[in-house]
Amino acid sequence: VHAAVFALNTHLGNTGTTVTYHETRDAALPSVSSLATLVSAMSGGAVQTLVVLGGNPVFDAPTDLDFAAAMAKVPHSIALGNSVDETSSQAEWHIPRAHYLESWGDARAVGGTLSVVQPLILPLFGGRTSIELLGLIVGGKERPGYDIVRETWNPILGAGEFDSKWNRVLHDGLLSGSELPAVVPTLTPQPLAELGNLIGASGGSQPAEGVELVFVPSPSLHDGRFANDGWLQELPDPLTKVTWDNPALVSPKTAETFGLANQDVIRLDYAGRSLELPVWILPGMADGVVALTLGYGRRRAGRIASGVGFDTFTVRSSKALGFDSGVKLTRVGRTHPLSATQDHGSMEGRPIVRESTLTELRAEAAAPEPAEGAQAEGEPSALGVYPEETEHFSLFPTHSYDQGHQ
């Protein structure tokens, strides 16, 4: 897909003008294969000490890898985390992690610009950063993050007038002139051929067998790391307006096909695994697709988030982290109550935006009152104004305001 987008930008003349590409340097890209290799080594007894820096793989690693079972076979495990989560609760040692606003560090932007990460406050609860823990493991000596970052930047800035250059970087927030030059990638036909084969295999349309499954991060909880924040749980989903839950999302046509209504519980079967959760109908979704929101169903998140929602990671495998086909949906026959701040998005026939010209407004004002019955009952006027419903009346006595205090 990336190759196809690059080819499109090149054809349109965007490459080098509105779109630039830069070499990936000083970055470790995510790799499912390396995680699978680690899990295999853990299961085989080749890992004596496991160190987890801020992640929560027991909860969010692909379910087919069974990270928890492999971790149980490691003699010693250390977890650096902000809370005692699913991974930390299984580790031999838990080390409190400093918040990023309490941490020294450095980073390289997408364009290559180097910068120093500076804390706003000292750690409130004695937390440690990833670089401090790694420095202790590698060097056998506890050192503050500030010293580690300065030592890293010494060869970058040079020994001469280091303090002056260092202070300039801290002042500017970045190292001027450190951006990487733009490059033009070489496009080979292989990625495009593979993409064409995938499209041809699916017929360019909906998979012939089963429903398509899509995993999406939560707009507020992301992958579950922010789940123990009640305000974020209360924040309505921007599309469904559902709070405190993550129902399976389907289109109106898909719901009609399976005989589903909002809050109906369905059984989702995929790749030998199953999950039961309620459904929510979302207009605008593609037909034949079910979307599962990640980040809910935490078991060790805290007193707010533990047990809230449904753990969709239990059906997410390493072979299809984003989407796949061949899903079977079955109506269970019960409902699960969901909380939504808005039931629907219908305007009940009212126009979304009312607009008019000055000439039309003057003509409307100057026009004589329409005869009774001239305007169809329940139909708006040319400006979208509905007629007054005369049959509506107040339950309270009418008060006269023509006398006394006005």
Side-chain angles (χ1 to χ4, degrees):
V1 175
H2 288 280
V5 173
F6 169 68
L8 179 62
N9 281 318
T10 302
H11 176 74
L12 296 175
N14 299 332
T15 302
T17 54
T18 57
V19 178
T20 58
Y21 297 89
H22 300 269
E23 178 188 354
T24 301
R25 188 181 297 179
D26 300 330
L29 299 179
S31 173
V32 178
S33 60
S34 63
L35 179 60
T37 301
L38 171 63
V39 171
S40 178
M42 292 162 55
S43 300
V47 178
Q48 296 301 308
T49 302
L50 175 69
V51 180
V52 181
L53 300 176
N56 189 10
V58 170
F59 172 68
D60 57 24
T63 185
D64 57 313
L65 298 183
D66 199 355
F67 192 93
M71 183 176 174
K73 298 180 180 180
V74 178
H76 306 289
S77 54
I78 303 169
L80 176 71
N82 297 107
S83 63
V84 182
D85 54 23
E86 290 84 350
T87 301
S88 290
S89 62
Q90 188 172 322
E92 182 182 13
W93 289 91
H94 167 76
I95 300 176
R97 185 187 187 190
H99 191 270
Y100 75 94
L101 295 178
E102 305 170 333
S103 306
W104 280 96
D106 51 16
R108 185 186 288 274
V110 174
T113 303
L114 292 169
S115 62
V116 173
V117 179
Q118 306 175 53
L120 296 183
I121 57 174
L122 290 172
L124 296 176
F125 303 103
R128 296 293 188 267
T129 65
S130 298
I131 62 172
E132 290 172 338
L133 179 57
L134 289 175
L136 175 62
I137 294 174
V138 175
K141 179 182 177 182
E142 186 174 2
R143 301 172 61 198
Y146 175 79
D147 293 347
I148 297 174
V149 175
R150 275 180 61 97
E151 182 180 293
T152 303
W153 278 72
N154 195 292
I156 299 174
L157 300 177
E161 299 183 352
F162 174 80
D163 287 335
S164 176
K165 298 175 183 177
W166 170 258
N167 290 332
R168 170 53 62 182
V169 171
L170 296 184
H171 174 272
D172 296 345
L174 54 87
L175 177 59
S176 179
S178 60
E179 60 273 8
L180 297 175
V183 297
V184 179
T186 302
L187 180 63
T188 62
Q190 180 182 356
L192 297 179
E194 293 178 355
L195 180 61
N197 292 335
L198 289 175
I199 296 176
S202 63
S205 59
Q206 180 181 333
E209 188 175 335
V211 177
E212 184 175 349
L213 173 66
V214 177
F215 294 99
V216 294
S218 166
S220 53
L221 311 185
H222 193 52
D223 58 359
R225 67 187 66 183
F226 306 121
N228 206 42
D229 189 324
W231 285 3
L232 295 180
Q233 292 277 7
E234 190 75 14
L235 185 66
D237 182 278
L239 296 179
T240 66
K241 305 303 179 183
V242 172
T243 66
W244 291 92
D245 240 317
N246 59 328
L249 307 179
V250 296
S251 71
K253 184 176 181 180
T254 304
E256 182 181 357
T257 300
F258 289 93
L260 300 173
N262 282 342
Q263 306 185 75
D264 282 348
V265 176
I266 62 171
R267 176 185 173 92
L268 185 148
D269 293 284
Y270 165 67
R273 299 175 180 85
S274 62
L275 175 67
E276 292 187 2
L277 73 170
V279 72
W280 191 263
I281 301 173
L282 181 61
M285 270 197 63
D287 298 329
V289 176
V290 56
L292 299 183
T293 304
L294 303 169
Y296 290 80
R298 295 282 306 274
R299 298 178 297 278
R300 293 294 298 267
R303 67 182 183 89
I304 293 176
S306 293
V308 173
F310 301 86
D311 184 5
T312 54
F313 279 111
T314 57
V315 292
R316 187 174 183 242
S317 69
S318 59
K319 297 180 180 179
L321 296 177
F323 58 91
D324 200 4
S325 58
V327 175
K328 179 183 177 183
L329 302 182
T330 306
R331 184 178 178 182
V332 173
R334 66 176 188 274
T335 60
H336 177 87
L338 294 171
S339 174
T341 59
Q342 179 177 320
D343 284 341
H344 57 82
S346 173
M347 292 294 292
E348 308 296 348
R350 298 185 296 267
I352 298 177
V353 177
R354 294 174 180 172
E355 61 179 13
S356 181
T357 65
L358 182 59
T359 302
E360 290 173 340
L361 289 173
R362 287 173 174 170
E364 179 88 4
E369 290 291 331
E372 186 175 351
Q375 184 174 337
E377 183 178 354
E379 292 295 326
S381 65
L383 297 180
V385 179
Y386 281 78
E388 181 180 358
E389 298 287 350
T390 56
E391 68 272 14
H392 292 171
F393 58 92
S394 174
L395 296 176
F396 302 95
T398 303
H399 180 77
S400 175
Y401 292 93
D402 57 351
Q403 296 179 358
H405 257 329
Q406 303 298 308

